[in-house]
Amino acid sequence: MATPVDGAAHAPTASEYIVHHLGHLKNQYQVGPVDFSVIHYDTLFWSIAMGLTACLLMWAAARKATSGVPGRFQAFVEMMFEMVDDQAKTIVHGDRSFIAPLALTVFVWIVLMNALDLLPVDMWSWLFAAFGVEHIFPYHRVVPTADLNAPIGMSLGVLLLMVYYGIKIKGFGGWLHELFAAPFGIWMAPFNLLLNLIEYAAKMVSLGMRLFGNMFAGELLFLLIALLGGTATMFGFIGHVIAGSIWAIFHILIVILQAFIFMMLTLVYLGQAHEGH
């Protein structure tokens, strides 16, 4: 039988606790700074689950929509749609039949993924231990946007759409000419090409890194607050409750704001793809 001293000796340190909670459920350990053979199962599961949930909510709202007085859920969805559509009209000067619904889907999807950060940090560890499957799920991170792979993957999709609309609106020849001729003229073609490629890459990286950085910092702060509650003192318990409540309320704003910023930048970048230099 383990004594209290044995239990204390095996208790994780603060750094071990944080490192454990920042680990991913994956197929293998990463080798080198870039390893595309690594699959984060938890990020894939929760991002797909929240994406399906977002689509299901939008479908349910459209299915139950009436021309009369709308219910609360329909009114809420209509407000979001009008907000996104107004922004799309202002920014994108062209066909918005795909872009506006895309922006709405991205906004709702990211809000749902970000909102997972409001769940207790140790909830899944408790559940896995309660069902005796902690050996199957030694690591499990719930927030997909706090994993760099998910935001960069989404921003890569935006980059591909930028290229697609650039070619669609201007034609392949026009887009290629702009790539080499803008902004300093065709006689500066090599410099223009390098500058435009850097611009494309910077837009993609900054779009994904902004979302990742904010959500990762929020997740780390929740872990630090959880550590405060782990101290066996009245100050630690009270500080945990107060700090956790204040940060959770403030984090609701971050959850929505980061989704709004990602959506707006998506509209801005796709709007720029419709216009020439």
Side-chain angles (χ1 to χ4, degrees), residues 22-44 139 141 147-150:
L22 294 180
H24 285 280
L25 181 65
K26 51 192 176 183
N27 61 330
Q28 63 185 38
Y29 287 103
Q30 182 171 328
V31 178
V34 178
D35 188 352
F36 292 106
S37 64
V38 178
I39 301 174
H40 291 174
Y41 296 120
D42 42 13
T43 298
L44 282 174
Y139 300 99
R141 287 184 70 180
D147 177 10
L148 182 59
N149 295 282

Side-chain angles (χ1 to χ4, degrees), residues 47-131:
S47 57
I48 293 173
M50 292 303 100
L52 293 176
T53 302
C55 293
L56 182 62
L57 289 174
M58 297 299 100
W59 174 80
R63 183 171 176 269
K64 296 181 180 180
T66 60
S67 57
V69 179
R72 293 181 180 178
F73 179 61
Q74 180 182 338
F76 177 70
V77 173
E78 288 180 354
M79 287 174 56
M80 284 198 302
F81 176 79
E82 291 176 2
M83 180 268 295
V84 174
D85 192 52
D86 288 342
Q87 297 297 332
K89 289 178 181 177
T90 305
I91 298 172
V92 181
H93 303 128
D95 184 15
R96 299 179 299 274
S97 58
F98 175 77
I99 295 177
L102 169 70
L104 178 61
T105 303
V106 166
F107 176 72
V108 177
W109 187 19
I110 296 179
V111 165
L112 292 176
M113 289 192 292
N114 290 351
L116 292 172
D117 207 12
L118 299 173
L119 296 174
V121 295
D122 288 311
M123 185 179 77
W124 296 103
S125 298
W126 297 336
L127 287 176
F128 295 149
F131 287 97

Side-chain angles (χ1 to χ4, degrees), residues 95-99 102 155-176 178 200 269-275:
D95 184 15
R96 299 179 299 274
S97 58
F98 175 77
I99 295 177
L102 169 70
S155 60
L156 179 60
V158 175
L159 173 64
L160 294 177
L161 285 173
M162 290 167 55
V163 174
Y164 167 76
Y165 276 105
I167 296 174
K168 179 181 179 181
I169 301 300
K170 304 161 190 173
F172 181 75
W175 175 78
L176 199 63
E178 184 179 85
Y200 274 120
Y269 293 159
L270 295 183
Q272 291 175 347
H274 282 68
E275 301 172 357

